[in-house]
Amino acid sequence: MATIHRPRRGSLAFSPRKRAKSQVPRTRYWAAGEEKARMDGFAGYKAGMTHLIMIDDKPNSLTGGMEISVPVTILETPPLGIAALRVYEKHNGGLRAAGEAWSEKLDPYLARSITVPKNKRGGSLDEIGSRIDDMEELRLIAYTNPKLLTGVPKKNPDLMEIQVNGGSLQEQFDVARSLIGSQVPISSVFGVGSIIDVSAITTGKGTQGAVKRWGIQLQKRKHSRGGKRRHIGNLGPWHPHHVRWTVPQMGQMGYHQRTEYNKRILAIGSDGGEITPEGGFPGYGIVRGEYAIVSGSVPGPSKRLVRIRNAVRPKDAEAKTPQVLYVSKESKQGL
């Protein structure tokens, strides 16, 4: 008799599949520091997808040196405002905030998102700098500027922490001090050809059944009662005497945080008209400001915030500048 082999349906790696707490993705890990101190991340808003023609520069590729078509995602990336510096120290095997210094130059719209602290915990930049050698990490509190966009119908900034990496702690502090209160463009953080990771909250699909949510099989005609073929066969064994969390059941699907690794920035520009298709991007409109072209797809729908960081496990040792020949501006309206 043949050996029955039935792999389980659906991965348990992302459990529990519940809604994300915030539409701003949380970054728990950053790439190892390099020799030069730098700001390690950025953020933009997803406009849509198109394709471009470029020269294949992957080593040992069958189409190496030839023109290839690559699907790409357009991110509109207005400058990030740097509101404050927050420092962390070791505590009980982890990290805890040891102080922060806020800038006096803040966007008026920032008050819509948070109550800007009046009593700055941790003191001024000079006080933090005097004990910088006792710190473990330095992070910048950055905020986006959606008011500069026409495709995103909101004015409230999104706040996030971005780590400062590389060099010594003193060099990181000098870089952070020079950035506080300024507006940082993406071109000063990433270059064309950089290998990055992208994080975003996926498209929400609401409550879905086990067939769509976990990919289980439909019941056979004889096994289903009353024509209900999309139910699971059973809820588990008699013992243990409870329904285990591994049983595929209905529930929330989508609106989860997901990270995709080793994307590539193929182009960075300041004039969105260079890449906006005829009629604009569906559900977004016209890209008017600074933008970045990222290879492949990015989680989430259009208008969704997308966070970028340096790749934590890059495949290529060094980033190459791609040779882009053509960016499609044909209509995406389905005409």
Side-chain angles (χ1 to χ4, degrees), residues 3 11 55 59 103 135 151 173 220 230 253 275 317:
T3 302
S11 171
I55 301 297
S103 169
M135 299 299 121
F173 176 74
K220 305 299 186 291
R230 301 179 71 88
M253 182 173 177
I275 46 87

Side-chain angles (χ1 to χ4, degrees), residues 29-32 34 38 40 190 194-198 260-264 308-316:
Y29 185 76
W30 301 88
E34 299 179 354
R38 72 188 191 284
D40 209 23
F190 294 104
S194 298
I195 308 299
I196 60 172
D197 300 332
V198 295
E260 295 196 8
Y261 297 90
N262 294 334
K263 300 292 182 178
R264 191 180 181 192
I308 305 171
R309 70 178 177 190
N310 280 292
V312 298
R313 51 187 189 194
K315 295 181 180 179
D316 299 329

Side-chain angles (χ1 to χ4, degrees), residues 180-201:
I180 289 182
S182 63
Q183 298 288 327
V184 181
I186 187 173
S187 56
S188 65
V189 181
F190 294 104
V192 178
S194 298
I195 308 299
I196 60 172
D197 300 332
V198 295
S199 300
I201 308 300

Side-chain angles (χ1 to χ4, degrees), residues 77-300:
T77 55
L80 283 186
I82 308 300
L85 167 66
R86 180 175 291 165
V87 291
Y88 287 83
E89 63 183 2
K90 287 187 176 180
H91 179 70
N92 287 344
L95 298 175
R96 70 173 178 183
E100 57 188 36
W102 285 74
S103 169
E104 300 296 335
K105 302 177 182 178
L106 297 177
D107 192 294
Y109 283 102
L110 191 60
R112 292 187 175 191
S113 298
I114 61 169
T115 300
V116 179
K118 294 181 180 179
N119 300 323
K120 314 308 194 282
R121 183 163 58 93
S124 64
L125 284 172
D126 293 332
E127 295 176 2
I128 293 177
S130 63
R131 53 193 179 93
I132 195 65
D133 294 332
D134 300 329
M135 299 299 121
E136 189 69 18
E137 286 186 5
L138 281 74
R139 300 180 190 173
L140 296 171
I141 300 178
Y143 59 92
T144 59
N145 289 287
K147 64 177 183 179
L148 302 177
L149 309 180
T150 57
V152 177
K154 70 173 184 177
K155 300 292 187 289
N156 295 10
D158 294 309
L159 269 79
M160 65 206 73
E161 286 188 359
I162 299 178
Q163 187 163 315
V164 181
N165 268 337
S168 63
L169 284 173
Q170 185 60 47
E171 292 173 346
Q172 294 177 15
F173 176 74
D174 294 338
V175 170
R177 186 167 193 165
S178 65
L179 293 177
I180 289 182
S182 63
Q183 298 288 327
V184 181
I186 187 173
S187 56
S188 65
V189 181
F190 294 104
V192 178
S194 298
I195 308 299
I196 60 172
D197 300 332
V198 295
S199 300
I201 308 300
T202 61
T203 304
K205 296 179 173 61
T207 302
Q208 299 294 338
V211 173
K212 182 172 182 178
R213 192 171 184 233
W214 293 100
I216 64 174
Q217 292 180 342
L218 294 176
Q219 294 184 17
K220 305 299 186 291
R221 178 183 59 84
K222 283 192 173 182
H223 297 168
S224 60
R225 294 185 177 184
K228 299 178 181 179
R229 304 182 60 189
R230 301 179 71 88
H231 289 186
I232 58 177
N234 62 71
L235 291 173
W238 190 273
H239 296 289
H241 207 58
H242 63 86
V243 179
R244 305 181 68 180
W245 67 274
T246 56
V247 176
Q249 298 192 67
M250 65 175 289
Q252 172 67 32
M253 182 173 177
Y255 205 76
H256 311 307
Q257 177 174 327
R258 294 293 179 260
T259 300
E260 295 196 8
Y261 297 90
N262 294 334
K263 300 292 182 178
R264 191 180 181 192
I265 297 181
L266 300 180
I268 293 176
S270 58
D271 182 11
E274 301 170 349
I275 46 87
T276 301
E278 297 180 6
F281 288 99
Y284 188 88
I286 300 174
V287 177
R288 303 182 188 276
E290 299 178 0
Y291 66 88
I293 301 180
V294 179
S295 61
S297 61
V298 169

Side-chain angles (χ1 to χ4, degrees), residues 18-33:
K18 59 182 182 180
R19 286 173 57 87
K21 293 182 179 179
S22 171
Q23 204 170 100
V24 180
R26 180 183 175 188
T27 301
R28 297 176 176 86
Y29 185 76
W30 301 88

